[in-house]
Amino acid sequence: GEDVEQSLFLSVREGDSSVINCTYTDSSSTYLYWYKQEPGAGLQLLTYIFSNMDMKQDQRLTVLLNKKDKHLSLRIADTQTGDSAIYFCAEQGNTPLVFGKGTRLSVIA
Amino acid sequence: EAQVTQNPRYLITVTGKKLTVTCSQNMNHEYMSWYRQDPGLGLRQIYYSMNVEVTDKGDVPEGYKVSRKEKRNFPLILESPSPNQTSLYFCASSLQSQGNYGYTFGSGTRLTVV
């Protein structure tokens, strides 16, 4: 089946940029998503990118997509303690969403 | 407010005692799905439903049942819970299973089976 891979942990200092990476296998992916899960809560849609785009920027968030390498990244500029959470990459092709295992971002004050 | 509501939020039960976790959405979504979240394993899909009376197995359906008798509700049933079903469960819904509609998640149900 389709697979989405992410590193499990990332630690950054407050004010630095965070980059969370994701790779996927489904070459028919049409939409790629980033979800955020704060402690004790469900997942919330953070941003998404359509497969014919290379980049999408939304305030402090920048999503980069390398479709040839099937690589997606999420950059958070000026990372704050409130950004501490688990971030899930997800891809959608001809099947329902496939999620990665999530990257736990820890922000050190 | 558009939302997915799960109940209960927390549940402790004993092995073998049947239980139901309810899920309801108020957005007229066709697609609904159940996931379990375990440390190091991420989200694993249990069952999903494309529409009323249409349900399909996900990646880890063993030990679970679902029903979709009406559009808004998608209960998860554990006929005979076992300790390996101790987990955090999420219900999600979407307008459709494909296309850029995103998923809306419930707040989760933390189940402990002793």
Side-chain angles (χ1 to χ4, degrees):
Chain A
E2 309 307 339
D3 196 23
V4 176
E5 296 281 343
Q6 318 176 224
S7 53
L8 293 182
F9 300 99
L10 176 66
S11 183
V12 299
R13 293 199 178 278
E14 192 175 17
D16 288 351
S17 292
S18 309
V19 179
I20 302 171
N21 294 301
C22 167
T23 57
Y24 59 96
T25 58
D26 185 359
S27 55
S28 68
S29 291
T30 49
Y31 297 98
L32 295 121
Y33 300 87
W34 285 102
Y35 282 81
K36 178 182 181 182
Q37 184 184 26
E38 295 182 353
L43 280 70
Q44 288 187 301
L45 180 62
L46 202 56
T47 187
Y48 69 92
I49 188 167
F50 187 46
S51 60
N52 68 354
M53 298 168 65
D54 298 323
M55 186 181 86
K56 180 178 180 181
Q57 189 151 2
D58 183 2
Q59 298 182 327
R60 291 190 299 122
L61 304 178
T62 303
V63 179
L64 295 177
L65 174 60
N66 181 328
K67 197 172 179 182
K68 175 175 166 289
D69 294 339
K70 299 191 185 72
H71 182 267
L72 182 74
S73 68
L74 173 70
R75 179 176 180 270
I76 306 173
D78 186 26
T79 311
Q80 302 297 308
T81 53
D83 294 322
S84 293
I86 302 175
Y87 291 81
F88 289 89
C89 171
E91 65 89 14
Q92 183 160 54
N94 297 321
T95 58
L97 278 188
V98 177
F99 288 89
K101 289 185 169 55
T103 299
R104 184 180 294 276
L105 174 64
S106 298
V107 182
I108 305 162
Chain B
E1 181 190 351
Q3 60 186 357
V4 175
T5 304
Q6 291 178 232
N7 279 299
R9 287 293 310 274
Y10 302 92
L11 178 60
I12 302 174
T13 191
V14 295
T15 299
K17 185 177 180 183
K18 181 179 178 179
L19 66 91
T20 300
V21 184
T22 63
C23 174
S24 179
Q25 49 93 3
N26 61 0
M27 297 165 281
N28 202 36
H29 284 174
E30 289 187 355
Y31 179 82
M32 297 185 75
S33 181
W34 276 103
Y35 296 87
R36 60 178 289 175
Q37 184 179 19
D38 301 288
L41 297 177
L43 285 172
R44 293 182 292 169
Q45 191 176 45
I46 303 170
Y47 268 96
Y48 63 95
S49 169
M50 297 283 203
N51 213 326
V52 177
E53 300 292 2
V54 180
T55 62
D56 273 301
K57 295 178 181 178
D59 299 318
V60 289
E62 294 78 21
Y64 304 94
K65 283 174 58 176
V66 292
S67 69
R68 188 91 182 275
K69 293 186 172 59
E70 49 190 344
K71 204 170 192 179
R72 63 183 294 125
N73 294 322
F74 190 44
L76 180 69
I77 303 154
L78 285 72
E79 295 270 3
S80 182
S82 62
N84 66 10
Q85 292 178 298
T86 292
S87 187
L88 180 58
Y89 292 86
F90 288 102
C91 180
S93 74
S94 179
L95 192 61
Q96 294 180 13
S97 65
Q98 297 180 35
N100 186 25
Y101 298 111
Y103 285 19
T104 302
F105 281 82
S107 299
T109 296
R110 186 166 291 281
L111 172 66
T112 303
V113 184
V114 298

